[in-house]
Amino acid sequence: MENERNVTVFILVGLTQNPQMQKIVFVVFLVLYMVTLSGNLLIVVTITSSQALNSPMYFFLTHLSLLDTIYSSSSAPKLIVDSLQEIKTVSFNGCMAQVYAEHIFGAAEIILLTEMAYDRYVAICKPLHYTVIMSHRLCLLLLGVAWTGGFLHATVQILFTVRLPFCGPNIIDHFMCDLYPLLKLVCVDTHILGLFVAANSGFICLLNLLLLLVSYVVILRSLKNYSLEGRRRALSTCVSHITVVVLSFVPCIFVYLRPVTTLPIDKAVAVFYTMVAPMLNPLIYTLRNAEVKRAMKKHWKKKVTADSD
């Protein structure tokens, strides 16, 4: 199949062809990207520098913020630069690299969010055994599982994609390289390939979402035995996690758990899960978490005092 490929460069249509709108896109998404970087890196610095935030929940939150930073960086910089270009091009290898990055970091984050739900389940349903069960060794093992799952998912996906015969045209109706827009350019029947993508991407999102729903049903049932204050604190962390899960899983299921087709709304959905969701995640966790907010104030107060000295 590989020797049938005669496409070496792809042309991206982008979000808009209007020159004035492209300038607005540049400003808006540059601001979004800077807020995403600063928000997620602030969480990483705060948690790693605070002795009070040393529980498994914050261990996972640190790595979620790192994943959000890297995941957003796999598409945002090119979108920002391309908004200033009249013709937006990407090499074949560059396109495949972007698809691989999107799927390895996206899948790792999906699995990590599921593991964070397990952490909340143990903390709420088995509080007396929490420190024993959620040992540092298990946390590292779960983190390794998330990265391994992301690696296997993305590698299998890209090995199939890179060998497809792209015979032309080479115009991708998107602002980035993604599977379904790419499959529209393949000069073979893509029905079976679409089923494979749905199984490898959409089914992963759906399966993890079902696991999360089951875990939260168990958690909510166990809260009946808690005091009013205990329920309030438990629900506070759970609501933050559920919100992030919805922001991550719903777009994934919408985009990948369907036949090979592209819809006009796909670009807006892609903007949401590559730019908006990674920016909102740190805000959701910090605004609803008093411990993180206290640690941030303490960290920056100490930094300001040290700088003044």
Side-chain angles (χ1 to χ4, degrees), residues 34-252:
M34 297 308 295
V35 172
T36 300
L37 288 183
S38 57
N40 282 290
L41 293 178
L42 178 59
I43 282 188
V44 173
V45 171
T46 300
I47 294 175
T48 53
S49 63
S50 174
Q51 294 182 348
L53 305 178
N54 59 358
S55 70
M57 181 179 78
Y58 297 114
F59 172 83
F60 291 125
L61 181 54
T62 301
H63 289 277
L64 178 66
S65 293
L66 285 172
L67 276 171
D68 275 333
T69 302
I70 303 169
Y71 180 64
S72 182
S73 298
S74 67
S75 57
K78 178 155 182 61
L79 168 62
I80 293 166
V81 172
D82 281 350
S83 63
L84 300 177
Q85 308 294 323
E86 185 176 346
I87 300 177
K88 308 163 182 59
T89 61
V90 58
S91 67
F92 180 86
N93 290 337
C95 188
M96 294 301 112
Q98 189 177 61
V99 172
Y100 186 79
E102 177 193 345
H103 282 267
I104 187 173
F105 300 126
E109 181 167 332
I110 293 282
I111 298 170
L112 185 64
L113 285 169
T114 307
E115 293 168 350
M116 290 174 74
Y118 174 71
D119 170 70
R120 291 298 83 208
Y121 161 75
V122 176
I124 294 170
C125 299
K126 300 183 178 181
L128 298 179
H129 302 94
Y130 179 66
T131 54
V132 176
I133 297 174
M134 295 304 297
S135 63
H136 188 62
R137 182 178 179 180
L138 179 62
C139 291
L140 290 174
L141 177 63
L142 291 174
L143 182 63
V145 168
W147 278 105
T148 302
F151 171 78
L152 292 175
H153 161 75
T155 301
V156 170
Q157 199 93 280
I158 204 67
L159 286 177
F160 275 86
T161 307
V162 76
R163 296 181 62 82
L164 292 174
F166 293 93
C167 309
N170 65 337
I171 299 174
I172 300 175
D173 187 15
H174 213 297
F175 63 86
M176 67 179 189
C177 291
D178 202 3
L179 285 172
Y180 280 173
L182 277 172
L183 289 180
K184 287 188 68 177
L185 307 181
V186 174
C187 47
V188 293
D189 180 37
T190 57
H191 177 69
I192 301 299
L193 293 170
L195 294 177
F196 169 74
V197 171
N200 193 32
S201 295
F203 183 70
I204 287 177
C205 294
L206 183 60
L207 177 62
N208 280 274
L209 180 60
L210 292 176
L211 290 173
L212 283 163
L213 291 176
V214 170
S215 69
Y216 274 108
V217 168
V218 175
I219 288 172
L220 292 173
R221 285 175 62 88
S222 69
L223 287 178
K224 292 186 295 184
N225 302 322
Y226 275 62
S227 65
L228 184 62
E229 178 62 20
R231 284 199 295 267
R232 189 192 65 79
R233 291 186 62 185
L235 284 172
S236 178
T237 57
C238 288
V239 167
S240 298
H241 187 255
I242 291 171
T243 306
V244 172
V245 164
V246 170
L247 293 177
S248 302
F249 281 71
V250 172
C252 174

Side-chain angles (χ1 to χ4, degrees), residues 279-295:
M279 178 194 70
L280 291 178
N281 288 353
L283 293 175
I284 292 167
Y285 275 107
T286 53
L287 290 176
R288 297 190 61 87
N289 193 308
E291 284 183 317
V292 175
K293 286 189 284 189
R294 281 197 300 269

